[in-house]
Amino acid sequence: MPSGAEHPGDSAAPGPTRTSTAHAEALSSKIKEQKVIVDELSNLKKNRKVYKQQQNSNIFFLEERTKMLSESKNKLDELRKDYQEVENSETTKVKTQSA
């Protein structure tokens, strides 16, 4: 059996907690990525051009820097909110299982 294989009874936590932990890690990674985007847009000179990629395409459109910065900040806020909700739900589950 491969060394990374799971054995019955080896898991310290039930499946949903692992799933939410993986989700929290994915959100954390997206938050870091979004922070870089916000920082990059914040530090651009006023006259620099910004392009936004069309979803599911290789086409880019010219976009206003301030609009892109605002959208990026909003997305970062949403990601942080989602991350906080996942963290709170994990804390609640741990407290419920302990009791």
Coordinates of all heavy atoms in Angstrom, one line a residue:
M1 N 0.8 -1.2 0.0 CA 0.0 0.0 0.0 C 0.9 1.2 0.0 O 1.9 1.3 0.7 CB -0.9 0.0 1.2 CG -2.0 0.9 1.2 SD -3.1 0.8 2.7 CE -4.3 -0.4 2.1
P2 N 0.6 2.3 -0.8 CA 1.4 3.5 -0.8 C 1.4 4.2 0.5 O 0.5 4.1 1.3 CB 0.7 4.4 -1.9 CG -0.2 3.5 -2.6 CD -0.5 2.3 -1.8
S3 N 2.5 4.8 0.8 CA 2.7 5.5 2.1 C 1.7 6.6 2.4 O 1.3 6.9 3.5 CB 4.1 6.0 2.3 OG 4.3 7.0 1.3
G4 N 1.2 7.2 1.3 CA 0.2 8.3 1.5 C -1.2 7.8 1.6 O -2.2 8.5 1.7
A5 N -1.4 6.4 1.5 CA -2.8 5.9 1.6 C -3.4 6.0 3.0 O -2.7 6.0 4.0 CB -2.8 4.4 1.1
E6 N -4.7 6.1 3.0 CA -5.4 6.3 4.3 C -5.8 4.9 4.8 O -6.2 4.1 4.0 CB -6.6 7.1 4.0 CG -6.7 8.3 4.9 CD -7.9 9.1 4.7 OE1 -7.9 10.0 3.8 OE2 -8.9 8.9 5.4
H7 N -5.7 4.7 6.1 CA -6.1 3.5 6.7 C -7.4 3.8 7.5 O -7.5 4.9 8.1 CB -5.1 3.0 7.7 CG -3.8 2.6 7.0 ND1 -3.6 1.5 6.2 CD2 -2.6 3.3 7.0 CE1 -2.4 1.5 5.7 NE2 -1.7 2.6 6.2
P8 N -8.4 2.9 7.5 CA -9.6 3.2 8.3 C -9.2 3.5 9.8 O -8.3 2.8 10.4 CB -10.4 1.9 8.2 CG -9.8 1.2 7.0 CD -8.4 1.6 6.9
G9 N -9.8 4.5 10.3 CA -9.5 4.8 11.7 C -8.3 5.7 11.9 O -8.0 6.2 13.0
D10 N -7.5 6.0 10.8 CA -6.4 6.9 10.9 C -6.7 8.4 11.0 O -5.9 9.2 11.5 CB -5.4 6.7 9.7 CG -4.5 5.5 9.9 OD1 -4.6 4.8 11.0 OD2 -3.8 5.1 8.9
S11 N -7.9 8.7 10.5 CA -8.2 10.1 10.5 C -8.6 10.7 11.8 O -9.3 10.0 12.6 CB -9.4 10.3 9.5 OG -10.5 9.7 10.0
A12 N -8.0 11.8 12.1 CA -8.3 12.4 13.4 C -9.5 13.3 13.4 O -10.1 13.6 14.4 CB -7.1 13.4 13.8
A13 N -10.0 13.6 12.2 CA -11.2 14.4 12.1 C -12.1 13.8 11.0 O -11.7 13.2 10.1 CB -10.8 15.9 11.7
P14 N -13.4 14.1 11.2 CA -14.4 13.6 10.2 C -14.2 14.3 8.8 O -13.6 15.3 8.7 CB -15.7 13.9 10.7 CG -15.5 14.8 11.9 CD -14.1 14.7 12.3
G15 N -14.7 13.7 7.8 CA -14.5 14.2 6.4 C -14.9 15.6 6.2 O -14.2 16.4 5.6
P16 N -16.1 16.1 6.7 CA -16.5 17.5 6.4 C -15.4 18.5 6.9 O -15.2 19.5 6.3 CB -17.8 17.6 7.1 CG -18.3 16.2 7.2 CD -17.1 15.3 7.3
T17 N -14.8 18.2 8.1 CA -13.8 19.1 8.6 C -12.6 19.2 7.6 O -12.0 20.3 7.4 CB -13.3 18.7 10.0 OG1 -14.5 18.6 10.8 CG2 -12.3 19.7 10.6
R18 N -12.2 18.0 7.1 CA -11.1 18.0 6.1 C -11.4 18.8 4.9 O -10.6 19.6 4.4 CB -10.7 16.6 5.7 CG -9.7 16.0 6.6 CD -9.1 14.8 5.9 NE -9.0 13.8 6.9 CZ -9.2 12.5 6.7 NH1 -9.5 12.1 5.5 NH2 -9.1 11.7 7.7
T19 N -12.7 18.7 4.4 CA -13.1 19.4 3.3 C -13.1 20.9 3.5 O -12.6 21.7 2.7 CB -14.5 18.9 2.9 OG1 -14.5 17.5 2.6 CG2 -15.0 19.7 1.6
S20 N -13.6 21.3 4.7 CA -13.6 22.7 5.0 C -12.2 23.3 5.2 O -11.9 24.4 4.9 CB -14.5 23.0 6.2 OG -14.1 22.3 7.3
T21 N -11.3 22.4 5.7 CA -9.9 22.8 5.9 C -9.3 23.0 4.5 O -8.6 24.0 4.3 CB -9.1 21.8 6.7 OG1 -9.7 21.6 8.0 CG2 -7.7 22.2 6.9
A22 N -9.5 22.1 3.6 CA -9.0 22.3 2.3 C -9.6 23.6 1.6 O -8.9 24.3 0.9 CB -9.3 21.1 1.4
H23 N -10.9 23.8 1.9 CA -11.5 25.0 1.3 C -10.9 26.2 2.0 O -10.7 27.2 1.2 CB -13.0 24.9 1.6 CG -13.8 26.1 1.1 ND1 -13.9 26.3 -0.3 CD2 -14.6 27.0 1.7 CE1 -14.7 27.4 -0.5 NE2 -15.1 27.8 0.7
A24 N -10.6 26.2 3.2 CA -10.0 27.3 3.9 C -8.6 27.6 3.3 O -8.2 28.8 3.1 CB -9.9 27.1 5.4
E25 N -7.9 26.5 3.1 CA -6.5 26.7 2.5 C -6.6 27.3 1.1 O -5.8 28.1 0.7 CB -5.8 25.4 2.5 CG -5.4 24.9 3.8 CD -4.8 23.5 3.8 OE1 -4.6 22.9 2.7 OE2 -4.5 23.0 4.9
A26 N -7.6 26.8 0.3 CA -7.8 27.4 -1.1 C -8.2 28.9 -1.0 O -7.6 29.7 -1.8 CB -8.9 26.6 -1.8
L27 N -9.0 29.2 -0.1 CA -9.4 30.6 0.1 C -8.2 31.4 0.5 O -8.0 32.6 0.1 CB -10.5 30.7 1.1 CG -11.9 30.4 0.6 CD1 -12.9 30.4 1.8 CD2 -12.4 31.4 -0.4
S28 N -7.4 30.9 1.4 CA -6.2 31.6 1.9 C -5.3 31.9 0.7 O -4.7 33.0 0.6 CB -5.5 30.8 3.0 OG -4.3 31.4 3.4
S29 N -5.1 30.9 -0.1 CA -4.3 31.1 -1.3 C -4.9 32.2 -2.3 O -4.1 33.0 -2.8 CB -4.2 29.8 -2.1 OG -3.4 29.9 -3.2
K30 N -6.2 32.2 -2.4 CA -6.8 33.2 -3.3 C -6.7 34.6 -2.7 O -6.6 35.5 -3.4 CB -8.3 32.8 -3.5 CG -8.5 31.6 -4.4 CD -9.9 31.3 -4.6 CE -10.1 30.1 -5.5 NZ -11.6 29.8 -5.7
I31 N -6.8 34.6 -1.4 CA -6.6 35.9 -0.7 C -5.3 36.5 -0.9 O -5.1 37.7 -1.2 CB -7.0 35.8 0.8 CG1 -8.5 35.6 1.0 CG2 -6.5 37.0 1.6 CD1 -8.8 35.2 2.5
K32 N -4.2 35.7 -0.8 CA -2.9 36.1 -1.0 C -2.7 36.6 -2.5 O -2.1 37.7 -2.7 CB -1.9 35.0 -0.8 CG -1.7 34.6 0.7 CD -0.8 33.5 0.9 CE -0.8 33.0 2.3 NZ 0.0 31.8 2.5
E33 N -3.3 35.9 -3.4 CA -3.2 36.3 -4.8 C -3.9 37.6 -5.0 O -3.4 38.5 -5.7 CB -3.9 35.2 -5.6 CG -3.8 35.4 -7.1 CD -4.5 34.3 -7.9 OE1 -4.1 33.1 -7.6 OE2 -5.4 34.6 -8.7
Q34 N -5.1 37.8 -4.4 CA -5.8 39.0 -4.6 C -5.1 40.2 -4.0 O -5.2 41.3 -4.5 CB -7.2 38.8 -4.0 CG -8.3 39.8 -4.5 CD -8.5 39.7 -6.0 OE1 -8.4 38.6 -6.6 NE2 -8.7 40.8 -6.7
K35 N -4.4 40.0 -2.8 CA -3.7 41.0 -2.2 C -2.6 41.5 -3.1 O -2.3 42.7 -3.2 CB -3.0 40.5 -0.9 CG -3.9 40.4 0.3 CD -3.2 39.9 1.5 CE -4.0 39.8 2.7 NZ -3.3 39.3 3.9
V36 N -1.9 40.6 -3.8 CA -0.9 41.0 -4.8 C -1.5 41.9 -5.9 O -0.9 42.9 -6.3 CB -0.2 39.8 -5.4 CG1 0.7 40.1 -6.5 CG2 0.6 39.0 -4.3
I37 N -2.6 41.4 -6.4 CA -3.3 42.2 -7.5 C -3.6 43.6 -7.0 O -3.4 44.6 -7.7 CB -4.6 41.5 -7.9 CG1 -4.2 40.2 -8.7 CG2 -5.4 42.3 -8.9 CD1 -5.3 39.2 -8.9
V38 N -4.2 43.7 -5.8 CA -4.6 45.0 -5.3 C -3.3 45.9 -5.1 O -3.3 47.1 -5.5 CB -5.3 44.9 -3.9 CG1 -5.5 46.2 -3.2 CG2 -6.7 44.3 -4.1
D39 N -2.2 45.3 -4.6 CA -1.0 46.1 -4.4 C -0.4 46.5 -5.7 O 0.0 47.7 -5.8 CB 0.0 45.2 -3.6 CG -0.3 45.1 -2.2 OD1 -1.1 45.9 -1.6 OD2 0.3 44.2 -1.5
E40 N -0.4 45.6 -6.7 CA 0.1 46.0 -8.0 C -0.7 47.1 -8.6 O -0.2 48.1 -9.2 CB 0.1 44.8 -9.0 CG 1.1 43.7 -8.6 CD 2.5 44.2 -8.8 OE1 2.8 45.0 -9.7 OE2 3.4 43.7 -8.1
L41 N -2.0 47.0 -8.6 CA -2.9 48.1 -9.1 C -2.8 49.4 -8.3 O -2.8 50.5 -8.9 CB -4.4 47.6 -9.1 CG -4.7 46.6 -10.2 CD1 -6.1 46.0 -9.9 CD2 -4.6 47.1 -11.6
S42 N -2.6 49.3 -7.0 CA -2.4 50.5 -6.2 C -1.1 51.3 -6.5 O -1.1 52.5 -6.4 CB -2.4 50.1 -4.7 OG -3.6 49.5 -4.4
N43 N -0.1 50.5 -6.9 CA 1.2 51.1 -7.1 C 1.5 51.5 -8.6 O 2.5 52.0 -8.9 CB 2.3 50.2 -6.7 CG 2.3 50.1 -5.1 OD1 2.1 51.1 -4.4 ND2 2.4 48.9 -4.7
L44 N 0.5 51.3 -9.5 CA 0.7 51.7 -10.9 C 0.6 53.3 -11.0 O -0.2 53.9 -10.3 CB -0.5 51.1 -11.7 CG -0.3 49.7 -12.2 CD1 -1.5 49.3 -13.0 CD2 1.0 49.5 -13.0
K45 N 1.3 53.8 -11.9 CA 1.2 55.2 -12.2 C -0.1 55.5 -12.8 O -0.7 54.6 -13.4 CB 2.3 55.7 -13.2 CG 3.7 55.6 -12.6 CD 4.8 56.0 -13.5 CE 6.1 55.9 -12.9 NZ 7.2 56.3 -13.9
K46 N -0.6 56.7 -12.6 CA -2.0 57.1 -13.1 C -2.2 56.9 -14.6 O -3.2 56.5 -15.0 CB -2.2 58.6 -12.7 CG -2.1 58.9 -11.3 CD -3.3 58.4 -10.5 CE -3.2 58.9 -9.1 NZ -3.8 58.0 -8.1
N47 N -1.1 57.1 -15.4 CA -1.3 57.0 -16.8 C -1.1 55.6 -17.4 O -1.2 55.4 -18.6 CB -0.3 58.0 -17.5 CG 1.1 57.7 -17.2 OD1 1.4 56.9 -16.3 ND2 2.0 58.3 -17.9
R48 N -0.8 54.6 -16.5 CA -0.6 53.2 -17.0 C -1.9 52.6 -17.5 O -3.0 52.8 -16.9 CB 0.0 52.4 -16.0 CG 1.4 52.8 -15.5 CD 2.4 52.8 -16.6 NE 2.5 51.4 -17.1 CZ 3.5 51.0 -17.7 NH1 4.6 51.8 -17.9 NH2 3.6 49.8 -18.2
K49 N -1.9 51.8 -18.5 CA -3.0 51.1 -19.1 C -3.2 49.7 -18.4 O -2.2 49.1 -18.0 CB -2.9 50.9 -20.6 CG -3.0 52.2 -21.3 CD -2.9 52.0 -22.8 CE -3.0 53.3 -23.5 NZ -3.0 53.2 -25.0
V50 N -4.5 49.4 -18.1 CA -4.8 48.1 -17.5 C -5.7 47.4 -18.4 O -6.7 47.9 -18.9 CB -5.4 48.3 -16.1 CG1 -5.8 47.0 -15.4 CG2 -4.5 49.1 -15.2
Y51 N -5.5 46.1 -18.5 CA -6.3 45.3 -19.4 C -6.9 44.2 -18.5 O -6.3 43.6 -17.6 CB -5.5 44.6 -20.5 CG -5.0 45.7 -21.5 CD1 -3.8 46.3 -21.3 CD2 -5.8 46.0 -22.6 CE1 -3.3 47.3 -22.2 CE2 -5.3 46.9 -23.5 CZ -4.1 47.6 -23.3 OH -3.6 48.5 -24.2
K52 N -8.2 43.8 -18.8 CA -8.9 42.8 -18.1 C -9.2 41.7 -19.1 O -9.7 41.9 -20.2 CB -10.2 43.3 -17.6 CG -11.0 42.3 -16.8 CD -12.2 43.0 -16.2 CE -13.0 41.9 -15.3 NZ -14.2 42.5 -14.7
Q53 N -8.9 40.4 -18.7 CA -9.1 39.3 -19.6 C -10.6 38.9 -19.6 O -11.2 38.8 -18.5 CB -8.3 38.1 -19.1 CG -8.3 36.9 -20.0 CD -7.4 35.8 -19.6 OE1 -6.8 35.8 -18.6 NE2 -7.3 34.8 -20.5
Q54 N -11.1 38.7 -20.8 CA -12.4 38.2 -21.0 C -12.5 36.8 -20.4 O -11.6 36.0 -20.6 CB -12.8 38.2 -22.4 CG -14.2 37.7 -22.7 CD -15.3 38.7 -22.3 OE1 -15.0 39.9 -22.1 NE2 -16.4 38.2 -22.0
Q55 N -13.6 36.5 -19.6 CA -13.7 35.2 -19.0 C -13.7 34.1 -20.1 O -14.3 34.2 -21.1 CB -15.0 35.1 -18.2 CG -14.8 35.0 -16.8 CD -16.1 34.9 -16.0 OE1 -17.2 35.1 -16.6 NE2 -16.0 34.6 -14.7
N56 N -13.0 33.0 -19.8 CA -12.9 31.8 -20.6 C -12.4 32.2 -22.0 O -12.9 31.6 -23.0 CB -14.2 31.1 -20.7 CG -14.7 30.7 -19.4 OD1 -14.0 30.2 -18.5 ND2 -16.0 30.8 -19.1
S57 N -11.5 33.1 -22.1 CA -11.0 33.6 -23.4 C -9.6 34.1 -23.3 O -9.1 34.4 -22.2 CB -11.9 34.6 -24.0 OG -11.4 35.2 -25.1
N58 N -8.9 34.3 -24.4 CA -7.6 34.9 -24.4 C -7.7 36.3 -24.9 O -6.7 36.9 -25.4 CB -6.7 34.1 -25.3 CG -6.3 32.8 -24.7 OD1 -6.3 32.7 -23.4 ND2 -6.0 31.8 -25.5
I59 N -8.9 36.9 -24.8 CA -9.1 38.3 -25.3 C -9.0 39.2 -24.1 O -9.6 39.0 -23.0 CB -10.5 38.4 -26.0 CG1 -10.5 37.5 -27.2 CG2 -10.7 39.9 -26.4 CD1 -11.9 37.4 -27.9
F60 N -8.3 40.3 -24.2 CA -8.2 41.3 -23.2 C -8.8 42.6 -23.6 O -8.7 43.0 -24.8 CB -6.7 41.6 -22.9 CG -6.0 40.4 -22.2 CD1 -5.6 39.3 -23.0 CD2 -5.8 40.3 -20.9 CE1 -5.0 38.2 -22.4 CE2 -5.2 39.2 -20.3 CZ -4.8 38.2 -21.0
F61 N -9.4 43.3 -22.7 CA -10.0 44.6 -23.0 C -9.4 45.7 -22.1 O -9.2 45.4 -20.9 CB -11.6 44.6 -22.7 CG -12.3 43.7 -23.7 CD1 -12.7 42.4 -23.3 CD2 -12.6 44.1 -25.0 CE1 -13.3 41.6 -24.2 CE2 -13.3 43.3 -25.9 CZ -13.6 42.1 -25.5
L62 N -9.3 46.9 -22.6 CA -8.8 48.0 -21.9 C -9.8 48.4 -20.8 O -11.0 48.4 -21.1 CB -8.5 49.2 -22.8 CG -7.9 50.4 -22.2 CD1 -6.5 50.1 -21.7 CD2 -7.8 51.5 -23.3
E63 N -9.3 48.6 -19.6 CA -10.2 48.9 -18.5 C -9.6 50.1 -17.7 O -8.4 50.3 -17.7 CB -10.3 47.7 -17.6 CG -11.4 47.7 -16.6 CD -12.8 47.7 -17.2 OE1 -13.2 46.6 -17.8 OE2 -13.5 48.7 -17.1
E64 N -10.4 50.8 -17.0 CA -10.0 51.9 -16.1 C -9.2 51.3 -14.9 O -9.7 50.4 -14.3 CB -11.1 52.7 -15.7 CG -11.8 53.6 -16.7 CD -12.9 54.4 -16.2 OE1 -12.9 54.8 -15.0 OE2 -13.8 54.7 -16.9
R65 N -8.1 51.9 -14.6 CA -7.3 51.4 -13.5 C -8.1 51.5 -12.2 O -8.1 50.6 -11.4 CB -6.0 52.2 -13.3 CG -5.1 51.7 -12.3 CD -3.9 52.6 -12.1 NE -4.3 53.9 -11.6 CZ -4.5 54.3 -10.4 NH1 -4.4 53.4 -9.4 NH2 -4.9 55.5 -10.0
T66 N -8.8 52.6 -11.9 CA -9.5 52.8 -10.7 C -10.7 51.8 -10.6 O -11.0 51.3 -9.5 CB -10.1 54.2 -10.6 OG1 -10.8 54.5 -11.8 CG2 -9.0 55.2 -10.4
K67 N -11.3 51.5 -11.7 CA -12.4 50.5 -11.7 C -11.9 49.1 -11.3 O -12.5 48.4 -10.5 CB -13.1 50.5 -13.0 CG -14.3 49.5 -13.1 CD -14.9 49.6 -14.5 CE -16.0 48.5 -14.5 NZ -16.6 48.4 -15.9
M68 N -10.8 48.8 -11.9 CA -10.1 47.5 -11.7 C -9.7 47.4 -10.2 O -9.9 46.3 -9.6 CB -9.0 47.2 -12.6 CG -9.3 47.0 -14.0 SD -10.2 45.4 -14.2 CE -9.0 44.3 -13.7
L69 N -9.1 48.5 -9.7 CA -8.7 48.5 -8.3 C -9.9 48.3 -7.4 O -9.8 47.5 -6.4 CB -8.0 49.8 -8.0 CG -7.4 50.0 -6.6 CD1 -6.5 48.8 -6.2 CD2 -6.7 51.3 -6.4
S70 N -11.0 49.0 -7.7 CA -12.2 48.9 -6.8 C -12.7 47.5 -6.9 O -13.1 46.9 -5.8 CB -13.2 49.9 -7.3 OG -14.4 49.8 -6.6
E71 N -12.8 46.9 -8.1 CA -13.3 45.5 -8.2 C -12.4 44.5 -7.5 O -12.9 43.6 -6.8 CB -13.4 45.1 -9.7 CG -14.5 45.8 -10.5 CD -14.5 45.4 -11.9 OE1 -13.7 44.6 -12.4 OE2 -15.3 46.1 -12.7
S72 N -11.1 44.7 -7.5 CA -10.2 43.8 -6.9 C -10.3 43.9 -5.4 O -10.2 42.9 -4.7 CB -8.7 44.2 -7.3 OG -8.6 43.9 -8.7
K73 N -10.5 45.2 -4.9 CA -10.7 45.3 -3.4 C -12.0 44.7 -2.9 O -12.0 44.0 -1.9 CB -10.7 46.8 -3.0 CG -9.3 47.5 -3.1 CD -9.4 48.9 -2.7 CE -8.0 49.6 -2.7 NZ -8.1 51.0 -2.3
N74 N -13.0 44.8 -3.7 CA -14.3 44.2 -3.4 C -14.2 42.7 -3.4 O -14.7 42.0 -2.5 CB -15.4 44.6 -4.4 CG -15.8 46.0 -4.2 OD1 -15.6 46.6 -3.1 ND2 -16.4 46.6 -5.2
K75 N -13.5 42.1 -4.3 CA -13.3 40.7 -4.4 C -12.4 40.2 -3.2 O -12.7 39.2 -2.6 CB -12.6 40.3 -5.7 CG -12.4 38.8 -5.9 CD -11.9 38.4 -7.2 CE -11.8 36.9 -7.4 NZ -11.4 36.5 -8.7
L76 N -11.4 41.0 -2.8 CA -10.6 40.6 -1.7 C -11.5 40.6 -0.4 O -11.4 39.7 0.4 CB -9.5 41.6 -1.5 CG -8.5 41.4 -0.3 CD1 -7.9 40.0 -0.4 CD2 -7.5 42.5 -0.3
D77 N -12.4 41.6 -0.3 CA -13.3 41.7 0.9 C -14.2 40.4 0.9 O -14.4 39.9 2.0 CB -14.1 42.9 0.9 CG -13.3 44.2 1.2 OD1 -12.2 44.1 1.7 OD2 -13.7 45.3 0.8
E78 N -14.7 40.0 -0.2 CA -15.6 38.9 -0.3 C -14.8 37.6 0.1 O -15.3 36.8 0.8 CB -16.1 38.7 -1.7 CG -17.2 39.8 -2.1 CD -17.6 39.7 -3.6 OE1 -17.3 38.6 -4.2 OE2 -18.1 40.7 -4.1
L79 N -13.6 37.5 -0.4 CA -12.8 36.3 -0.1 C -12.5 36.2 1.4 O -12.6 35.2 2.0 CB -11.5 36.3 -0.9 CG -11.6 36.0 -2.4 CD1 -10.3 36.3 -3.1 CD2 -12.0 34.6 -2.6
R80 N -12.2 37.4 2.0 CA -11.9 37.4 3.4 C -13.2 37.1 4.2 O -13.1 36.3 5.2 CB -11.4 38.8 3.9 CG -10.0 39.1 3.5 CD -9.6 40.5 3.9 NE -8.2 40.7 3.6 CZ -7.6 41.9 3.5 NH1 -8.4 43.0 3.5 NH2 -6.3 42.0 3.3
K81 N -14.3 37.5 3.8 CA -15.6 37.2 4.4 C -15.8 35.7 4.4 O -16.2 35.1 5.4 CB -16.7 38.0 3.8 CG -18.1 37.7 4.4 CD -19.2 38.5 3.7 CE -20.5 38.1 4.2 NZ -21.6 38.6 3.3
D82 N -15.7 35.1 3.2 CA -15.9 33.7 3.0 C -14.9 32.9 3.9 O -15.3 31.9 4.5 CB -15.7 33.3 1.5 CG -16.7 33.8 0.6 OD1 -17.8 34.2 1.1 OD2 -16.5 33.8 -0.6
Y83 N -13.6 33.3 3.9 CA -12.6 32.7 4.8 C -13.0 32.7 6.2 O -12.9 31.7 6.9 CB -11.3 33.3 4.5 CG -10.2 32.7 5.3 CD1 -9.6 31.5 4.9 CD2 -9.7 33.2 6.5 CE1 -8.6 30.9 5.6 CE2 -8.7 32.6 7.3 CZ -8.1 31.4 6.8 OH -7.1 30.8 7.5
Q84 N -13.5 33.9 6.7 CA -13.9 34.0 8.1 C -15.1 33.1 8.4 O -15.1 32.5 9.5 CB -14.3 35.5 8.3 CG -14.4 35.8 9.8 CD -13.1 35.6 10.6 OE1 -12.1 36.0 10.1 NE2 -13.2 35.0 11.7
E85 N -16.0 33.0 7.4 CA -17.2 32.1 7.6 C -16.7 30.6 7.8 O -17.2 29.9 8.6 CB -18.2 32.2 6.5 CG -19.0 33.5 6.5 CD -19.8 33.7 5.3 OE1 -19.9 32.8 4.4 OE2 -20.5 34.8 5.2
V86 N -15.8 30.2 6.9 CA -15.3 28.9 7.0 C -14.6 28.6 8.3 O -14.8 27.6 9.0 CB -14.3 28.6 5.8 CG1 -13.6 27.3 6.0 CG2 -15.1 28.5 4.5
E87 N -13.7 29.6 8.8 CA -13.0 29.5 10.0 C -14.0 29.4 11.2 O -13.9 28.6 12.1 CB -12.1 30.7 10.2 CG -10.9 30.6 9.3 CD -9.9 29.5 9.7 OE1 -9.6 29.3 10.9 OE2 -9.6 28.7 8.8
N88 N -15.1 30.2 11.2 CA -16.1 30.2 12.2 C -16.8 28.9 12.3 O -17.1 28.4 13.3 CB -17.0 31.4 12.1 CG -16.4 32.7 12.4 OD1 -15.4 32.8 13.0 ND2 -17.0 33.8 11.9
S89 N -17.1 28.4 11.1 CA -17.9 27.1 11.1 C -17.0 26.0 11.6 O -17.5 25.1 12.3 CB -18.4 26.8 9.7 OG -17.3 26.5 8.8
E90 N -15.7 26.0 11.3 CA -14.8 25.0 11.8 C -14.7 25.1 13.3 O -14.7 24.1 14.0 CB -13.4 25.1 11.2 CG -13.3 24.6 9.8 CD -11.9 24.7 9.3 OE1 -10.9 24.8 10.0 OE2 -11.8 24.6 8.0
T91 N -14.6 26.3 13.9 CA -14.5 26.5 15.3 C -15.8 26.0 16.0 O -15.7 25.4 17.0 CB -14.3 28.0 15.6 OG1 -13.2 28.5 14.9 CG2 -14.2 28.3 17.1
T92 N -16.9 26.3 15.4 CA -18.2 25.8 15.9 C -18.3 24.3 15.9 O -18.7 23.7 16.9 CB -19.4 26.4 15.1 OG1 -19.3 27.8 15.0 CG2 -20.7 26.0 15.7
K93 N -17.8 23.7 14.8 CA -17.8 22.2 14.8 C -16.9 21.6 15.9 O -17.2 20.6 16.5 CB -17.3 21.7 13.4 CG -18.3 21.9 12.3 CD -17.8 21.4 11.0 CE -18.8 21.8 9.9 NZ -18.3 21.4 8.6
V94 N -15.7 22.2 16.1 CA -14.8 21.7 17.1 C -15.4 21.8 18.5 O -15.3 20.9 19.3 CB -13.4 22.4 17.0 CG1 -12.5 22.1 18.2 CG2 -12.7 22.1 15.7
K95 N -16.0 23.0 18.8 CA -16.7 23.2 20.0 C -17.8 22.2 20.2 O -18.0 21.6 21.3 CB -17.2 24.6 20.2 CG -16.1 25.6 20.4 CD -16.7 27.0 20.5 CE -15.6 28.0 20.6 NZ -16.1 29.4 20.7
T96 N -18.6 21.9 19.2 CA -19.7 21.0 19.3 C -19.2 19.6 19.5 O -19.8 18.8 20.3 CB -20.5 21.0 18.0 OG1 -20.9 22.4 17.7 CG2 -21.7 20.1 18.1
Q97 N -18.1 19.2 18.8 CA -17.6 17.8 19.0 C -16.9 17.6 20.4 O -16.9 16.5 20.9 CB -16.5 17.5 17.9 CG -17.2 17.4 16.5 CD -16.1 17.3 15.4 OE1 -14.9 17.4 15.7 NE2 -16.6 17.1 14.2
S98 N -16.4 18.7 20.9 CA -15.8 18.6 22.3 C -16.8 18.4 23.4 O -16.5 17.8 24.4 CB -14.9 19.9 22.5 OG -13.9 20.0 21.6
A99 N -17.9 19.0 23.2 CA -19.0 19.0 24.2 C -19.6 17.7 24.4 O -19.5 16.7 23.9 CB -20.0 20.0 23.9

